[in-house]
Amino acid sequence: MGIQGLLPFLKKASREANLREFRHYTAAVDAYCWLHKGAFSCADKLVRGEPTNGYVMYVMKQVNLLLNNDIKPILVFDGCNLPSKALTETKRREIRERNRKRAKDLLRQGKTREAKECFQRCVDITSEMAAEVINACRARNIDIIVAPYEADAQLAYLNLSGIAQLVITEDSDLVLFGCKAILFKMDNNGGCVLVEQEKLHHSMNVPRDKFSFDKFRNMCILSGCDYLPSLHGIGLAKACKFFSVISNPDIHSVLCKLPSYLKMPQLEVTQEYRDGFIKARNTFLYQLVFDPIDRILRPLNDYPDGNEAEDFPYAGKFIGHKQALQIALGNVNVQTGEIVNHFSPDTSKVFDFLIFLHYALCFALYECWIY
DNA sequence: CGGTCGTCCACAT
DNA sequence: TGGACGACCG
């Protein structure tokens, strides 16, 4: 869902752009977006379990678009569900199941067009589908990373650590995770919308030196995000108005002043809401991600002094560096925990070296034979 | 004015 | 599914 209406709100921080402008950049790509769009072309087959590679073709077409613009893609896939999202997931599964039955009924009645629409509404992106795309990427030497938890946080880490200078997604949450440069709405011609963190102050109508990213994050959470539904009648505009007046950094006490500051006396800010707010903020700050350079599981941002992973259980369980590496490589089915692959970047390098050696020897022998 | 709720659209041909 | 866009409500 992301943040309701965030992209229109960020109009002053955005501009039209084209992939042409980003030659020789590395881009971290939200693979789920492409998987989902690609699944539309073959929704009926996917739901009925018939074999299709339509979605793989689509993703590879998009990958080619980047390659043709001399952009190096890193495809980032979703990993395990955060505990806080488990409820949402089961609800979605139920809705999909209902749609699937309706689609089958429509099909039996011969209403093909309506059935197709229904199929499109219940496509589920499975880890098997992600695995197909991962295999296609491997075959073409395209880098992939499966996030330990949400792809969003992983994409942000790749951007913040400088591994990728760009993030490509359709999900406005990425702004909130702290990304520096994001491309939204990429089309077949490479056209897209660029949102830069440097320009966020324009949207909030404050000069650059008065802008605080903490306030921006708080504003978005208050307006309603995936981790915390909004209070009734509060959207981005009200949240922006509120946080532009507030300077006290203590969120707990600040939230109590919400009804009087916004002149909404009917508004009730419960203890539960305030706790939820802190948890949502910490999930954006400290969600666990995989560091592909040092091959460790770590929080998106460093923990405050004296804190550790156990203090933020809702931001991901600490599953250990080795398990995180196996997940990141795509060797684990994150929905079942089953080992599906034994890919290792190190043995693959050894393998590449052996191939190199083989050709070098052949060449040497050939040279000897000539003379 | 700003917030909410509904409808349409994506893919690819 | 989720975002965009237009219509209605406080």
Side-chain angles (χ1 to χ4, degrees):
Chain A
M1 242 168 70
I3 309 293
Q4 303 270 21
L6 184 57
L7 250 40
F9 183 87
L10 296 180
K11 202 142 216 167
K12 289 181 194 160
S14 326
R15 71 170 173 85
E16 295 280 325
N18 192 289
L19 293 181
R20 280 191 297 272
E21 299 170 46
F22 307 107
R23 284 190 71 178
H24 308 309
Y25 279 48
T26 295
V29 177
D30 193 344
Y32 181 84
C33 298
W34 289 355
L35 264 167
H36 205 273
K37 282 191 186 178
F40 262 90
S41 59
C42 48
D44 46 343
K45 286 180 182 166
L46 285 171
V47 176
R48 280 186 285 181
E50 292 169 21
T52 173
N53 69 343
Y55 60 94
V56 181
M57 301 289 273
Y58 177 79
V59 173
M60 287 304 146
K61 199 181 86 182
Q62 301 289 81
V63 166
N64 275 332
L65 187 55
L66 297 189
L67 293 176
N68 290 338
N69 283 279
D70 288 317
I71 295 171
K72 183 196 159 160
I74 302 175
L75 269 64
V76 178
F77 294 81
D78 279 296
C80 308
N81 284 327
L82 284 180
S84 54
K85 277 199 173 168
L87 229 150
T88 332
E89 271 307 305
T90 41
K91 271 184 197 164
R92 278 182 188 169
R93 212 166 296 155
E94 281 166 24
I95 292 169
R96 272 198 298 264
E97 204 49 48
R98 236 173 288 153
N99 267 310
R100 175 199 295 245
K101 279 178 188 145
R102 208 188 315 160
K104 280 184 179 169
D105 285 342
L106 286 167
L107 210 63
R108 243 173 263 137
Q109 293 165 31
K111 295 175 178 171
T112 333
R113 216 185 319 124
E114 282 138 300
K116 183 158 188 170
E117 275 172 33
C118 227
F119 277 133
Q120 291 181 334
R121 232 164 282 170
C122 62
V123 261
D124 179 21
I125 307 303
T126 62
S127 37
E128 286 77 18
M129 290 167 68
E132 287 296 320
V133 173
I134 288 172
N135 287 337
C137 287
R138 287 241 190 283
R140 304 190 45 190
N141 239 342
I142 304 296
D143 284 338
I144 68 103
I145 292 184
V146 180
Y149 293 98
E150 291 178 307
D152 299 19
Q154 185 67 44
L155 290 159
Y157 182 75
L158 293 176
N159 190 208
L160 292 176
S161 62
I163 295 170
Q165 296 79 48
L166 276 176
V167 169
I168 299 177
T169 184
E170 301 298 328
D171 185 351
S172 53
D173 270 357
L174 269 295
V175 187
L176 198 45
F177 274 102
C179 292
K180 302 292 179 193
I182 311 170
L183 300 183
F184 293 99
K185 303 181 198 304
M186 192 180 105
D187 65 28
N188 293 338
N189 302 315
C192 45
V193 175
L194 170 68
V195 175
E196 289 165 289
Q197 193 184 57
E198 281 286 290
K199 292 184 176 168
L200 289 181
H201 63 277
H202 291 132
S203 300
M204 299 184 69
N205 296 313
V206 294
R208 187 187 299 266
D209 56 312
K210 291 267 174 61
F211 175 79
S212 132
F213 191 76
D214 275 320
K215 279 190 185 183
F216 175 80
R217 189 190 297 108
N218 286 338
M219 172 189 83
C220 293
I221 296 170
L222 190 64
S223 82
C225 64
D226 285 357
Y227 311 129
L228 186 71
S230 84
L231 296 163
H232 221 280
I234 307 264
L236 275 169
K238 292 247 173 75
C240 181
K241 194 196 270 179
F242 181 65
F243 280 108
S244 21
V245 188
I246 294 294
S247 54
N248 183 350
D250 177 26
I251 299 174
H252 249 285
S253 58
V254 151
L255 285 174
C256 296
K257 294 173 183 159
L258 204 60
S260 62
Y261 272 55
L262 291 177
K263 298 189 175 70
M264 297 170 80
Q266 78 288 6
L267 208 62
E268 203 195 343
V269 185
T270 61
Q271 177 73 35
E272 192 191 1
Y273 181 81
R274 283 179 286 156
D275 291 344
F277 196 100
I278 305 275
K279 280 188 183 176
R281 196 198 53 172
N282 289 341
T283 309
F284 281 115
L285 280 168
Y286 308 119
Q287 183 167 158
L288 294 178
V289 297
F290 183 70
D291 172 356
I293 305 292
D294 292 331
R295 298 191 186 170
I296 56 167
L297 182 64
R298 53 156 292 152
L300 173 56
N301 293 286
D302 291 329
Y303 293 126
D305 283 344
N307 283 94
E308 50 183 342
E310 283 73 28
D311 299 321
F312 310 102
Y314 42 82
K317 186 177 178 238
F318 194 88
I319 50 171
H321 303 307
K322 281 189 178 164
Q323 175 69 358
L325 171 64
Q326 289 310 310
I327 290 175
L329 293 171
N331 289 345
V332 182
N333 178 325
V334 290
Q335 280 168 7
T336 62
E338 174 193 1
I339 309 286
V340 293
N341 224 326
H342 287 96
F343 179 81
S344 155
D346 306 311
T347 55
S348 116
K349 266 177 204 153
V350 171
F351 193 61
D352 285 348
F353 180 68
L354 287 175
I355 291 173
F356 167 77
L357 214 61
H358 170 79
Y359 282 110
L361 272 170
C362 289
F363 184 70
L365 287 171
Y366 177 69
E367 294 274 281
C368 291
W369 181 73
I370 285 178
Y371 299 106

